[in-house]
Amino acid sequence: MPEANKVNAMFAEIAGRYDRANRVLSGCVDRYWRWRVIRKIAKMHPDTVLDLATGSGDLAIALAKKLSADSEVIGMDFCEPMLEQARMKAKKTHAAAKLSFCWGDGLNLPLDNASMDAVSIAFGFRNFEDRHRGLLEMKRVLRPGGSLFILEFSQPYFWFKPFYYLYLKWMLPRLAGWLTGRSDAYDYLAGSIASFPDVASLSKEIQSAGFSKIQSTRLTFGIVAIHQAVA
């Protein structure tokens, strides 16, 4: 698993160019992936939502727009430059729900037990230095019956793997180097995706942390998956 300090430093350096790179490298499909998660969360009508590893805040901001004015959305990340980007973006939006961004370590969340109705994490879970400990923390801050939503890269359908890994290994780092000046950051991205568990294996990890009613939804030829579970 990745070292937290190296991941933090990497994202701090590319924070200002992160959103643009995501849009180009995903062909803007990342917006669709987040929209699918937002629909699932909104159906739960949560009063409090923690968007963990919020990065530049896309999911947290979209959730705050979608949820009722009585709801509260907290975007949390351990990379302060990314949070600065999120706060700047939030000032330009008209969110219905109360929205805030704060620093926090996913392995030691600065939140009370059973204080959240839902926890979401989009494309940050594979960066955890200890995934099991992170899952235990998410379960700790969720109220009994609260929901966990993990949107993360996964292993694609078998027939699509050759094309996908060709893109990850050769095309993505070159495009990312042009967009951000840090192709090595996206070499890391490609490696973290290739070594990340498939849908079935990640479901077992979630179950081992004490979650139940685990569901998974594969998107875009299986390169991304949404895992939903109950605390």
Side-chain angles (χ1 to χ4, degrees), residues 85-97:
Q85 295 295 315
R87 293 182 187 114
M88 286 191 291
K89 286 161 61 175
K91 289 179 181 178
K92 302 175 184 177
T93 64
H94 300 283

Side-chain angles (χ1 to χ4, degrees), residues 18 36 38 40 80 94 125 127 131 133 136 153 159 195 207-208 229:
Y18 179 77
R36 290 290 299 267
I38 290 162
K40 289 178 179 290
E80 189 59 40
H94 300 283
F125 188 52
N127 297 325
R131 290 196 299 269
R133 182 176 167 186
L136 291 176
F153 289 107
W159 64 268
S195 61
Q207 184 179 36
S208 71

Side-chain angles (χ1 to χ4, degrees), residues 183-209:
S183 61
D184 59 321
Y186 288 85
D187 282 327
Y188 158 78
L189 171 65
S192 69
I193 293 172
S195 61
F196 197 70
D198 60 16
V199 165
S201 298
L202 183 54
S203 295
K204 289 180 181 177
E205 289 189 16
I206 296 169
Q207 184 179 36
S208 71

Side-chain angles (χ1 to χ4, degrees), residues 82-200:
M82 292 295 282
L83 287 170
E84 290 172 6
Q85 295 295 315
R87 293 182 187 114
M88 286 191 291
K89 286 161 61 175
K91 289 179 181 178
K92 302 175 184 177
T93 64
H94 300 283
K98 180 183 176 184
L99 174 64
S100 61
F101 291 97
C102 60
W103 186 93
D105 184 347
L107 302 185
N108 187 22
L109 295 172
L111 296 170
D112 292 335
N113 294 348
S115 57
M116 294 286 126
D117 293 321
V119 172
S120 62
I121 179 166
F123 304 113
F125 188 52
R126 74 183 184 285
N127 297 325
F128 275 34
E129 196 166 11
D130 186 334
R131 290 196 299 269
H132 183 68
R133 182 176 167 186
L135 286 167
L136 291 176
E137 275 293 276
M138 292 180 229
K139 188 172 187 300
R140 178 183 67 79
V141 302
L142 278 167
R143 296 188 177 100
S147 295
L148 170 67
F149 300 86
I150 298 176
L151 171 63
E152 190 53 89
F153 289 107
S154 187
Q155 299 307 315
Y157 297 135
F158 179 78
W159 64 268
F160 191 62
K161 276 189 176 182
F163 308 102
Y164 184 54
Y165 284 109
L166 179 67
Y167 171 73
L168 283 182
K169 186 175 181 180
W170 299 107
M171 296 178 64
L172 184 142
R174 287 164 174 77
L175 281 171
W178 174 65
L179 290 165
T180 68
R182 283 291 305 269
S183 61
D184 59 321
Y186 288 85
D187 282 327
Y188 158 78
L189 171 65
S192 69
I193 293 172
S195 61
F196 197 70
D198 60 16
V199 165

